[in-house]
Amino acid sequence: MSYSETLEQALSTVKQQAVLMQRCLQQRRLMDALRHTSIMLTELRNPELYPKPYYELYILIFDSLSILSTYLVENHPKHHHLADLYELVQYAGNVVPRLYLMITVGSSYLKCAESPSEEILKDMIEMCRGVQNPIRGLFLRYYLSQRTKQLLPQGAVDFNVNFIVTNFIEMNKLWVRLQHQGPLREREQRTKERRELQILIGSQLVRLSQIVDDNLSLYKEQILPVMLEQVIQCRDAVSQEYLLDAICQVFPDEFHLATLDALLEATTRLNPEVSMNKIVLTLIDRLNGYKDRTEQEGTKNGGASLRDLNLFQNFWNYLSNLNEERPDLPLQHFIPLIESVMTLSLQWYPQNLQNLDALYRFTAQKCQDYGKEVPANAEYLFQNLLTLQNNAALSKLDANFYYKLITQCASYRDLLGLQNVLPQKSILNSILEVLLQHTPLPGGESAAENQSDASSVERGFTVATKVDLDNLLSIFEPLIKASSPDILPDRKAVNKALANDDVADEDENSWILDLTQENLAKLSHIIMRSVSQSGDPIENIQLEVEILLSLRNWLYKGGKNIKYTYPAIITNFWKLIRKCHLLRNRDSQNEKQYSEFVKQFFKYVSRSINDLYNVCGSPLADALYKLNIQSASLADQLSLGEIAYDFLSQAFTLFEESLSDSRTQFQALVYMAQSLQKTRSLHEESYYELLIVRCTLHGSKLLKKQDQCRAVYLCSHLWWATEIALIGEEEGVTSDFYREGKRVLECLQRSLRVADSTMDNVQSSELMIEILNRCLYYFIHGDERETHISVKYINGLIELIRANIKSLKMEETTSSTIQLAEHRLDELHIHNAEGTAKEGNRFVIGLDGSYIDVPTGNGGRASVTSKLNSIHLNEMIQIPVQHFNRTCEYIQNQRDVDDRFKVITLGG
Amino acid sequence: MLILALSDAHIPDRAIDLPAKFKKLLSVPNKISQVVLLGNCTKSYTLLKFINDISPNITIVRGEFDNTHLPTTKKNRAKESIPITTVLKQGNFKIGCCSGYTVVPKNDPLSLLALARQLDVDVMLWGGTQNVEAYTLENKFFVNPGSCTGAFNSDWPIINDEELTVNNPDQNKPEDLKSSDVNGSNVPSFCLLDIQDSVCTLYIYIYIDGEVKVDRVVFKKESQTGQD
């Protein structure tokens, strides 16, 4: 008898023979039925079949054999005796069909009460040795296992365990042998086939776990040692990996807890190709499951003794042993193991940083023993270890955790220090992100205001000592010092940037959007918000300033990077200043102390600004100028006139020595005027007069005439204080405003002279109109006896502007008929905003004299330029014309509400 | 058409980020057609990226701590200077934008009115005060979105609560000092302008006690009268 060539044929033969077998059984022709069964079973002899088709055949045959088995049992001993049949089938010709028949008959016999079950079982398992072909043997033994599942003798635990273990061992041997069949080049194919068959071996472990039930000593003493021995002895990577994983999965987790050392020890004796880490992770997963379960039960039962277990010690010992016994184990294998043990520690002992510290120390040692720099293909493993990114979600690692890890685990910092430059920065950047992320407060509110984002509220950390802070910042030193392009991912750019470092672009535009430095600045705010608070406000301030100074010292190491980070430091000094000021009002006993603090902190601010200037130089002058002015404003608000004066003097020095660009100068000066106008405490020692005269003088010396003109008319406000409602001032009520109308007028007159002498007619007219508008400002503001801005002056100015506009219009190129028409309309004093908007009203002039090309389409952005080509002359002429028209319209409208406007002659 | 007006973020110099609830509200792509940054919003990579995701149509005016030029990016190497005043067009409105740090006297309605007249605009957006404001003057609409982060304000501090000292000294313990008092700024805020033809609906968003509150103000442009 022979088997079919193809699977299709085989399946059809099996089906055919099954039908015939059943027909024979119905007719009680057992011998014929057995013959058909034997033919059917012959198909299982086919050595060409791959595991999958073989399995398909097996299933089909299994069902038919079940029918046969049922018949055999039902007709015993009336029509036959199963003991006889058991003898009989031994005469079947081929070994595979013979053994299947034997097992079918034997297992049927087991169902009968009087059968000698142990003998039959022993015989069957013994006979199975007859098939040594891996696939056929595996299925045959699987068949044995399936058939005897419910039929093992009751109470004979040892026998049963032995039976299944023996079968398991034999199956594993067959399975391993499969690997070595066929040519070497088909090795991969073999491995694939084996993976398809692994479930057959695994089923034996499932059987064992069913028998063992909850009998730990049986498992620990009889089963596990044998199994582990088998696993180790087979030396086969596929088998070892699968079986250890299966053992971990199949048996109850409390067993693993009790046999942890044995399991771990086994992993050290495996084939080097085995991924130990995977097994250890599976084991840890199981242990975590145990923990979760007992904790849930524990809450019901009133506490579990989980905490007493020192699992970490088991794993720690394991790592140490492994390190001694397998010095050859490469970092790539060792690091994931360490990470797995960290996972365990984080799960079981989330508060225990000593465990992590020990692991990091161990890793750092391993790293140093390695002697060379970390190999590129292991970098990411260290990255996992140091960022703990695989555990972050599971163990809910928050900013507070990382803060403690960094500040309390010296070995963490050591290991970080051993990393290569680029991965180290990448690690630091991700830690920085974490520290920033979990802190709940967006700029400027108290913690209470953000309680709604409840999940993140408790995540913040507390900075208790300067030592903690030093520990934290020491790890960030590489980022603090990083030259900007370092954050770019490609190494080429880095090298290029490093090479150019000395000749770095020295202008303000060397300022780039540097995410790392930005995050460091943000970290400064978070640190300052996280300084621990005691009951004593004075102590709190002392600690805060100590932390802030330390922070500043660390950031100072960043060289030119301080341009990104120091403003945050200055802000925090400012905050401390205002805080002390507010506390002084609330805590009168310590008034003097707070005043001392405030003065001292202003010195720190001043030092910080000077540091910035000394390190970064004139590219930063404009920003420093403004930092000085704002520091002055702050001092002024606290009635510290002298300090305010010092900061303002500093600002002037910067203006004189370091601001060169005319645009910057103009804006800076106007900003000075704006800030001075809001000061209130500089009147002692005539500081205010000194400063505003200096400011106006600078304004009159600006490079461009139009800048001079605008600066001076804006400086007129320095002699005309206006109310600051926030401090209770009120126009008409407050009587001691600093106001000198005569000076106001002088300023306006002076700026008008400059406007008049401006060569560009368009600018000249525009400037006069702007001055007219300034005059109207004062005109509204007060009686002309105070402001000195008289109707006569205004009327004179309007006349001057009209004359100017007239001569300006002569410049118009009148070739175009549209323009001609417009010109006529204008002559007729028809001011139609809509009409002229079509062509003429294209440009307006901004605060600084720049030309703004007003967009015509929706959503458009204006283009803004400082110069316009004469091609646009006609449009340019329209700028003052239209501005004047609008001003006149305003005057006209004001007549409805203010009679005084009626005496202003619009003329024309 | 929705225009988003943001101002005075001062990230990272003075603040870390916008309130998370603001960010959530604004993280709706393709809703907002234009963003205006009214000063002190250009020094944070994360903020600019966030804003660019809202709408790439961004208009910036220079605040006192903005550089004179926009930081260059990989895409845009050209050094684009930041104007101190500019004008937008939307519907029947011309909208003037200015950070306000070169307006003298600072925050003065008449000065702002003169500026609006000079720029020939119907709506004037300004910033630089860390305090949200909206009012109508001479038929023009003035809007200051305040600071979107509630960042530290070096100007005269804005008082958020009534001064308690007078009424009840006991409530004025040192430990009750709020960080908002120290910052001296109003709560974080921003504005959205919904413009349809001649109607501008202003939505003012403020972040107070962990919640976002919205106010609505409608400004209609009066049609040009007579003369034609």
Side-chain angles (χ1 to χ4, degrees):
Chain A
M1 260 188 303
S2 183
Y3 44 83
S4 308
E5 300 265 307
T6 67
L7 175 65
E8 284 74 24
Q9 282 173 14
L11 287 170
S12 114
T13 306
V14 168
K15 281 174 191 161
Q16 200 185 355
Q17 294 301 321
V19 173
L20 292 171
M21 178 203 81
Q22 286 189 57
R23 196 176 296 158
C24 292
L25 289 179
Q26 276 160 10
Q27 298 162 2
R28 289 195 197 291
R29 290 175 15 225
L30 179 60
M31 288 307 128
D32 289 338
L34 290 176
R35 194 164 49 80
H36 289 301
T37 313
S38 183
I39 297 171
M40 179 167 67
L41 286 166
T42 304
E43 295 300 340
L44 289 177
R45 289 179 60 214
N46 189 348
E48 305 291 321
L49 286 178
Y50 289 121
K52 266 189 185 160
Y54 198 92
Y55 184 68
E56 220 175 305
L57 270 182
Y58 171 86
I59 292 291
L60 210 54
I61 289 170
F62 182 86
D63 290 342
S64 299
L65 292 179
S66 300
I67 295 168
L68 177 62
S69 173
T70 314
Y71 175 87
L72 291 177
V73 175
E74 280 170 0
N75 291 288
H76 166 91
K78 208 160 74 192
H79 293 97
H80 53 246
H81 198 285
L82 278 167
D84 298 340
L85 282 180
Y86 191 72
E87 289 294 318
L88 182 77
V89 292
Q90 315 244 352
Y91 294 99
N94 281 308
V95 65
V96 173
R98 178 166 74 228
L99 290 176
Y100 273 93
L101 281 171
M102 259 186 68
I103 294 169
T104 312
V105 176
S107 60
S108 303
Y109 195 18
L110 290 176
K111 289 180 185 166
C112 305
E114 81 282 14
S115 64
S117 46
E118 290 195 13
E119 262 171 67
I120 297 171
L121 286 166
K122 258 189 222 163
D123 190 56
M124 286 195 295
I125 201 163
E126 204 53 40
M127 296 304 267
C128 281
R129 287 183 191 278
V131 179
Q132 287 296 326
N133 170 286
I135 295 188
R136 278 176 278 176
L138 274 171
F139 275 96
L140 179 67
R141 285 183 176 277
Y142 182 58
Y143 185 66
L144 173 65
S145 157
Q146 275 193 305
R147 280 286 169 228
T148 56
K149 203 168 175 180
Q150 310 293 334
L151 303 171
L152 297 183
Q154 296 274 320
V157 177
D158 286 355
F159 177 84
N160 295 345
V161 166
N162 193 34
F163 180 77
I164 298 170
V165 166
T166 309
N167 203 34
F168 160 74
I169 291 175
E170 292 304 321
M171 282 176 91
N172 188 41
K173 282 180 183 164
L174 290 166
W175 192 41
V176 173
R177 193 177 307 148
L178 179 58
Q179 187 73 59
H180 306 289
Q181 286 204 329
L184 202 60
R185 61 189 149 82
E186 286 175 17
R187 219 179 112 84
E188 298 263 313
Q189 174 64 26
R190 288 283 99 76
T191 308
K192 189 173 156 267
E193 285 172 27
R194 289 187 63 201
R195 297 231 182 264
E196 288 169 1
L197 291 167
Q198 66 189 22
I199 184 77
L200 302 183
I201 330 300
S203 69
Q204 300 309 297
L205 296 176
V206 175
R207 292 281 296 118
L208 271 175
S209 78
Q210 287 159 349
I211 289 200
V212 149
D213 198 20
D214 59 354
N215 188 341
L216 174 61
S217 66
L218 176 67
Y219 172 77
K220 194 175 177 180
E221 280 146 33
Q222 294 188 39
I223 296 176
L224 187 65
V226 183
M227 282 195 302
L228 290 181
E229 197 53 32
Q230 172 60 26
V231 168
I232 292 159
Q233 289 307 322
C234 79
R235 292 160 196 240
D236 176 83
V238 176
S239 173
Q240 291 179 334
E241 208 164 294
Y242 173 72
L243 289 177
L244 278 176
D245 190 65
I247 289 172
C248 290
Q249 301 283 6
V250 162
F251 292 98
D253 39 26
E254 53 260 52
F255 282 17
H256 301 321
L257 206 58
T259 57
L260 198 52
D261 288 336
L263 275 173
L264 288 175
E265 200 264 345
T267 67
T268 64
R269 295 165 60 196
L270 300 179
N271 184 315
E273 286 170 42
V274 176
S275 145
M276 272 190 275
N277 168 50
K278 217 178 119 198
I279 297 163
V280 172
L281 252 187
T282 309
L283 187 56
I284 286 173
D285 266 356
R286 295 284 287 148
L287 295 174
N288 287 343
Y290 172 78
K291 178 181 136 280
D292 292 347
R293 220 182 53 239
T294 41
E295 270 175 355
Q296 271 173 10
E297 286 164 9
T299 49
K300 282 181 237 150
N301 305 339
S305 56
L306 275 181
R307 300 273 165 248
D308 305 335
L309 284 167
N310 197 351
L311 277 190
F312 180 77
Q313 196 57 45
N314 296 73
F315 280 92
W316 175 254
N317 294 342
Y318 162 66
L319 283 180
S320 314
N321 287 341
L322 190 65
N323 193 30
E324 275 169 34
E325 283 172 28
R326 296 279 305 276
D328 59 304
L329 204 62
L331 285 175
Q332 285 87 332
H333 284 213
F334 220 112
I335 306 303
L337 273 178
I338 296 172
E339 195 191 347
S340 301
V341 179
M342 275 187 189
T343 305
L344 174 104
S345 180
L346 287 169
Q347 286 283 306
W348 284 70
Y349 315 104
Q351 306 301 326
N352 189 326
L353 288 174
Q354 279 120 35
N355 286 351
L356 298 183
D357 195 45
L359 288 170
Y360 284 119
R361 192 177 324 118
F362 182 78
T363 316
Q365 189 57 49
K366 199 79 192 137
C367 226
Q368 278 163 334
D369 292 348
Y370 182 71
K372 289 171 276 186
E373 68 173 28
V374 174
N377 61 359
E379 281 175 353
Y380 81 99
L381 295 170
F382 284 98
Q383 198 153 338
N384 288 343
L385 209 58
L386 288 161
T387 58
L388 293 169
Q389 57 196 4
N390 299 328
N391 290 292
L394 187 67
S395 298
K396 300 196 179 77
L397 303 182
D398 53 26
N400 188 27
F401 169 83
Y402 284 95
Y403 178 76
K404 284 190 179 149
L405 182 68
I406 296 162
T407 52
Q408 291 172 28
C409 294
S411 56
Y412 178 88
R413 304 192 293 272
D414 294 342
L415 182 62
L416 195 53
L418 292 170
Q419 302 308 301
N420 299 334
V421 176
L422 283 176
Q424 187 189 46
K425 278 185 184 154
S426 144
I427 293 167
L428 288 172
N429 274 315
S430 29
I431 293 172
L432 195 50
E433 292 280 354
V434 174
L435 291 179
L436 296 180
Q437 237 170 44
H438 290 291
T439 302
L441 312 171
E445 304 108 76
S446 66
E449 285 171 54
N450 224 34
Q451 295 263 311
S452 49
D453 299 327
S455 57
S456 53
V457 165
E458 78 270 57
R459 306 267 179 228
F461 51 86
T462 306
V463 181
T465 65
K466 184 174 164 295
V467 177
D468 278 357
L469 182 76
D470 286 340
N471 285 338
L472 178 72
L473 293 178
S474 68
I475 73 156
F476 287 117
E477 199 171 334
L479 292 190
I480 292 170
K481 289 179 173 172
S483 58
S484 309
D486 254 337
I487 53 163
L488 296 176
D490 71 323
R491 295 181 186 224
K492 256 187 201 165
V494 176
N495 296 335
K496 218 173 143 193
L498 288 173
N500 286 342
D501 205 27
D502 295 332
V503 286
D505 210 359
E506 273 299 315
D507 66 2
E508 189 201 47
N509 299 311
S510 63
W511 203 97
I512 64 155
L513 288 170
D514 186 324
L515 186 57
T516 300
Q517 300 302 323
E518 175 181 337
N519 283 342
L520 285 171
K522 289 178 180 177
L523 181 67
S524 311
H525 294 303
I526 285 177
I527 288 171
M528 288 314 294
R529 263 181 222 173
S530 309
V531 176
S532 71
Q533 299 290 311
S534 70
D536 179 2
I538 297 274
E539 271 176 28
N540 288 342
I541 299 279
Q542 275 164 339
L543 180 60
E544 280 176 60
V545 78
E546 186 188 18
I547 297 286
L548 184 53
L549 286 169
S550 175
L551 196 52
R552 186 177 74 174
N553 288 342
W554 277 102
L555 292 175
Y556 187 74
K557 294 171 196 258
K560 289 204 162 95
N561 287 339
I562 64 173
K563 65 172 174 263
Y564 302 107
T565 51
Y566 257 40
I569 297 293
I570 291 169
T571 299
N572 279 294
F573 278 120
W574 283 344
K575 283 188 178 185
L576 278 177
I577 287 167
R578 195 173 271 154
K579 193 171 175 181
C580 286
H581 171 67
L582 292 168
L583 286 172
R584 181 170 55 190
N585 296 341
R586 291 162 185 241
D587 185 5
S588 49
Q589 289 171 330
N590 294 310
E591 212 178 314
K592 213 173 146 222
Q593 176 67 66
Y594 287 120
S595 300
E596 289 294 313
F597 278 151
V598 166
K599 278 179 195 153
Q600 191 56 49
F601 297 168
F602 272 116
K603 287 180 187 164
Y604 294 147
V605 171
S606 179
R607 157 96 61 228
S608 307
I609 296 175
N610 285 337
D611 282 349
L612 273 169
Y613 186 74
N614 293 335
V615 174
C616 302
S618 54
L620 220 60
D622 185 45
L624 298 182
Y625 170 82
K626 286 157 186 168
L627 286 173
N628 271 311
I629 290 180
Q630 299 208 348
S631 301
S633 299
L634 205 60
D636 174 69
Q637 290 152 27
L638 311 189
S639 307
L640 297 168
E642 194 138 352
I643 293 176
Y645 180 76
D646 280 346
F647 277 110
L648 290 168
S649 304
Q650 281 294 316
F652 274 121
T653 309
L654 276 165
F655 181 89
E656 286 151 14
E657 290 175 0
S658 303
L659 292 185
S660 50
D661 172 63
S662 68
R663 231 163 63 102
T664 310
Q665 278 184 347
F666 170 74
Q667 294 180 21
L669 202 77
V670 174
Y671 183 60
M672 174 67 90
Q674 186 196 61
S675 304
L676 282 174
Q677 205 257 355
K678 293 265 180 191
T679 61
R680 288 295 182 268
S681 67
L682 291 163
H683 295 287
E684 280 171 50
E685 314 269 346
S686 318
Y687 285 147
Y688 186 74
E689 284 78 3
L690 281 170
L691 289 164
I692 63 178
V693 168
R694 195 170 176 188
C695 183
T696 314
L697 203 63
H698 276 304
S700 67
K701 286 185 193 159
L702 285 170
L703 210 61
K704 293 184 189 163
K705 277 203 167 161
Q706 51 159 316
D707 288 346
Q708 287 175 17
C709 174
R710 289 195 172 93
V712 173
Y713 80 63
L714 288 173
C715 281
S716 69
H717 289 281
L718 293 172
W719 282 273
W720 195 262
T722 44
E723 67 165 41
I724 302 170
L726 285 165
I727 52 173
E729 291 177 352
E730 199 180 332
E731 187 71 47
V733 177
T734 307
S735 56
D736 59 348
F737 282 124
Y738 181 86
R739 286 180 176 176
E740 277 196 56
K742 210 164 150 261
R743 297 296 189 140
V744 172
L745 181 62
E746 276 174 26
C747 283
L748 294 180
Q749 283 169 332
R750 180 185 247 175
S751 71
L752 185 59
R753 276 200 296 280
V754 180
D756 198 33
S757 68
T758 300
M759 284 299 140
D760 182 326
N761 250 339
V762 172
Q763 285 286 352
S764 168
S765 305
E766 170 65 21
L767 288 169
M768 287 182 190
I769 298 160
E770 288 176 26
I771 294 167
L772 171 62
N773 276 288
R774 267 318 116 173
C775 290
L776 292 174
Y777 177 96
Y778 291 108
F779 189 72
I780 292 173
H781 247 271
D783 196 86
E784 69 174 69
R785 276 164 302 183
E786 283 174 42
T787 62
H788 293 247
I789 311 295
S790 64
V791 175
K792 199 175 143 222
Y793 187 74
I794 292 175
N795 283 341
L797 184 53
I798 290 175
E799 220 162 297
L800 182 63
I801 293 169
R802 284 211 174 271
N804 258 314
I805 286 183
K806 203 168 178 185
S807 61
L808 187 60
K809 280 182 179 165
M810 316 254 279
E811 275 194 75
E812 270 183 324
T813 49
T814 51
S815 60
S816 140
T817 46
I818 300 166
Q819 280 159 353
L820 200 63
E822 250 178 46
H823 191 65
R824 278 196 192 127
L825 282 175
D826 230 41
E827 292 284 281
L828 293 166
H829 304 296
I830 295 173
H831 307 304
N832 185 340
E834 293 292 307
T836 47
K838 279 177 205 150
E839 264 297 314
N841 213 7
R842 188 174 152 191
F843 296 99
V844 291
I845 281 183
L847 270 179
D848 55 351
S850 55
Y851 293 94
I852 301 171
D853 188 353
V854 179
T856 47
N858 270 348
R861 284 167 50 173
S863 70
V864 182
T865 53
S866 57
K867 285 195 190 80
L868 264 190
N869 195 300
S870 285
I871 274 182
H872 300 292
L873 185 61
N874 284 358
E875 288 150 320
M876 281 158 73
I877 289 169
Q878 285 303 316
I879 300 170
V881 171
Q882 298 300 333
H883 191 189
F884 183 57
N885 287 345
R886 290 193 295 273
T887 309
C888 291
E889 197 186 336
Y890 173 67
I891 293 169
Q892 221 143 22
N893 290 340
Q894 284 302 303
R895 286 174 179 166
D896 298 340
V897 287
D898 188 345
D899 280 344
R900 296 188 306 140
F901 276 85
K902 289 182 179 159
V903 285
I904 296 178
T905 321
L906 292 176
Chain B
M1 285 302 213
L2 284 176
I3 301 178
L4 169 66
L6 289 178
S7 187
D8 299 283
H10 284 288
I11 302 173
D13 293 356
R14 303 185 187 184
I16 294 163
D17 210 343
L18 270 61
K21 289 193 175 173
F22 275 4
K23 291 178 85 173
K24 211 176 152 195
L25 270 173
L26 291 172
S27 299
V28 197
N30 305 323
K31 262 272 205 244
I32 289 164
S33 55
Q34 197 164 13
V35 184
V36 186
L37 303 181
L38 296 157
N40 300 322
C41 290
T42 61
K43 292 209 161 168
S44 160
Y45 172 81
T46 41
L47 178 69
L48 288 178
K49 189 175 175 302
F50 173 73
I51 291 166
N52 200 54
D53 289 343
I54 296 172
S55 166
N57 186 0
I58 303 171
T59 299
I60 305 177
V61 286
R62 188 180 180 216
E64 70 271 30
F65 286 109
D66 292 315
N67 290 327
T68 54
H69 291 77
L70 276 180
T72 51
T73 58
K74 266 180 209 158
K75 272 189 208 156
N76 184 12
R77 287 277 175 207
K79 284 175 183 170
E80 199 182 327
S81 74
I82 310 178
I84 59 167
T85 40
T86 192
V87 177
L88 311 176
K89 176 90 188 342
Q90 194 64 261
N92 293 333
F93 290 93
K94 278 188 275 182
I95 303 165
C97 310
C98 171
S99 133
Y101 89 96
T102 48
V103 174
V104 189
K106 188 177 185 178
N107 212 28
D108 184 298
L110 285 179
S111 284
L112 287 165
L113 182 62
L115 175 60
R117 207 153 52 226
Q118 182 174 337
L119 298 177
D120 190 21
V121 292
D122 315 293
V123 178
M124 188 75 225
L125 301 177
W126 88 105
T129 66
Q130 337 279 89
N131 189 28
V132 60
E133 274 181 88
Y135 55 82
T136 308
L137 188 63
E138 298 291 328
N139 236 344
K140 293 180 194 295
F141 196 30
F142 293 84
V143 178
N144 180 340
S147 163
C148 58
T149 57
F152 182 88
N153 175 23
S154 64
D155 206 341
W156 290 95
I158 291 151
I159 297 143
N160 290 300
D161 298 316
E162 294 93 85
E163 202 46 63
L164 297 166
T165 333
V166 194
N167 304 331
N168 191 354
D170 289 345
Q171 283 181 11
N172 241 335
K173 289 178 200 140
E175 54 268 31
D176 293 339
L177 196 63
K178 281 199 203 156
S179 65
S180 54
D181 295 334
V182 173
N183 278 333
S185 57
N186 207 334
V187 293
S189 58
F190 69 87
C191 289
L192 269 179
L193 291 88
D194 184 5
I195 291 176
Q196 309 288 344
D197 301 328
S198 293
V199 181
C200 169
T201 313
L202 173 75
Y203 296 93
I204 301 170
Y205 291 80
I206 59 169
Y207 184 76
I208 187 156
D209 296 331
E211 296 297 330
V212 177
K213 291 200 175 123
V214 190
D215 263 332
R216 187 168 158 271
V217 181
V218 180
F219 172 73
K220 286 197 179 89
K221 185 180 172 178
E222 283 180 22
S223 56
Q224 295 289 327
T225 46
Q227 285 170 336
D228 50 339

